[in-house]
C-alpha cells in the first residue's frame, strides 16, 4: 500500500490584507506529481481526486509502506529525509516524484522555500528593525528553529548546490549535519565539484542529478538498484574489472 500525506503550512502572506504582501505565497509548482485518490492512497484532503497545482513552501511529503520484499529489515520504518539547498529549480519535485514512483517509505521535509517569507518572518511577527543586519538576524534565528529541528530529526540530509547562486546556508547545513553525525548526500553539477571538495569529503554520497538521489535512497532502504548502470553497456563488475577482493575466501 502506498500512503501519501501532505501536511501544509499556509504562507503568512496568504492571511494578510496588504496587497503588497498577499501576492507572495511562497509556493513552488509540482506539475508532474499527480496524486489521484484510490484504494491504495490516503490523503489528508477530503476531495475524491487530489491533484495539487503547487506545493506550499513548508509542505511535508510522506510516502510509506513499500511492498518491496527486500525491505523486510526496514519494515515499519519511515525514513526522514531533509532537503537542504537552493530554491530556484525543481529538484525537490523531481525527488518527490521519484520517491512516489518507487513507493519508498520516506518522509521529505525542507526549509521554508519562500525567499520573501524567510527574510521577513520575524519582522512580521516581532516587528520591524531599523538596520538590515538586525532584520536579517531575527529572521535567521527564527528560521533556524525549523531547519535545526528537522535536520536533527532526519535520517538522511540531502544538500543541493546550484551553479547560479552561492548557497552559503546549504554549506552551513551540511556542516551542521556532519557535526550531528547524519548521513549526507550532496547534489550538484560536476562543474562546481572543486569548490565543494571539503563538503563532499564529509558526504556519504555525491550525486550529479536528483534521479541519483532517488536511486541511492531506493538502494539503502530496499536494496534495489537501477536496471541500467550509470555507465551503460560499458559497465564492468568489479570482480571482472579489477579482480576478486578476496581471492582466497
Amino acid at each position: 500500500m502506498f500512503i501519501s500525506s501532505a501536511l501544509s503550512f499556509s504562507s503568512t502572506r496568504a492571511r494578510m490584507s496588504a496587497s503588497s504582501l498577499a501576492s507572495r505565497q511562497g509556493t513552488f509548482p509540482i506539475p508532474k506529481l499527480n496524486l489521484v485518490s484510490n484504494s491504495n492512497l490516503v490523503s489528508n484532503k477530503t476531495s475524491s481526486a487530489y491533484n495539487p497545482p503547487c506545493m506550499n513552501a513548508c509542505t511535508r511529503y510522506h510516502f510509506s509502506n513499500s511492498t518491496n520484499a527486500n525491505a523486510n529489515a526496514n519494515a515499519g520504518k519511515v525514513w526522514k529525509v531533509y532537503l537542504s539547498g537552493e530554491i530556484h529549480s525543481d529538484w525537490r519535485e523531481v525527488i518527490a516524484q521519484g520517491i512516489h514512483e518507487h513507493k519508498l517509505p520516506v518522509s521529505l521535509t525542507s526549509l521554508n522555500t519562500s525567499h520573501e517569507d524567510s527574510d521577513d518572518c520575524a519582522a512580521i511577527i516581532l516587528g520591524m528593525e531599523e538596520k538590515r543586519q538586525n532584520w536579517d538576524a531575527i529572521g535567521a534565528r527564527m528560521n533556524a528553529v525549523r531547519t535545526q529541528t528537522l535536520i536533527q530529526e532526519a535520517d538522511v540530509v540531502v544538500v543541493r548546490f546550484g551553479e547560479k547562486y552561492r548557497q552559503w546556508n546549504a554549506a552551513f547545513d551540511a556542516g551542521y549535519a556532519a557535526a550531528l553525525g547524519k548521513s549526507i548526500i550532496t547534489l550538484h553539477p560536476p562543474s562546481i565539484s572543486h569548490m565543494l571538495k571539503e563538503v563532499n569529503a564529509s558526504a556519504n554520497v555525491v550525486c550529479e542529478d536528483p534521479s541519483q538521489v532517488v536511486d541511492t535512497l531506493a538502494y539503502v532502504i530496499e536494496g534495489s538498484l537501477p536496471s541500467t548502470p550509470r555507465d551503460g553497456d560499458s559497465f564492468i563488475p568489479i570482480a571482472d574489472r579489477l579482480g576478486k577482493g578476496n581471492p582466497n575466501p
Side-chain angles (χ1 to χ4, degrees), residues 114-135:
S114 165
H115 197 157
E116 295 87 353
D117 282 6
S118 64
D119 281 351
D120 293 340
C121 57
I124 291 172
I125 296 170
L126 305 176
M128 294 186 295
E129 294 285 342
E130 293 300 322
K131 295 183 178 180
R132 175 60 186 258
Q133 61 265 36
N134 295 337
W135 192 299

Side-chain angles (χ1 to χ4, degrees), residues 222-234:
E222 297 187 331
S224 61
L225 287 168
S227 57
T228 303
R230 182 75 169 183
D231 294 314
D233 293 338
S234 63

Side-chain angles (χ1 to χ4, degrees), residues 220-249:
V220 300
I221 295 172
E222 297 187 331
S224 61
L225 287 168
S227 57
T228 303
R230 182 75 169 183
D231 294 314
D233 293 338
S234 63
F235 174 79
I236 302 173
I238 189 171
D240 298 330
R241 183 180 177 91
L242 300 175
K244 294 182 178 179
N246 184 3
N248 299 302

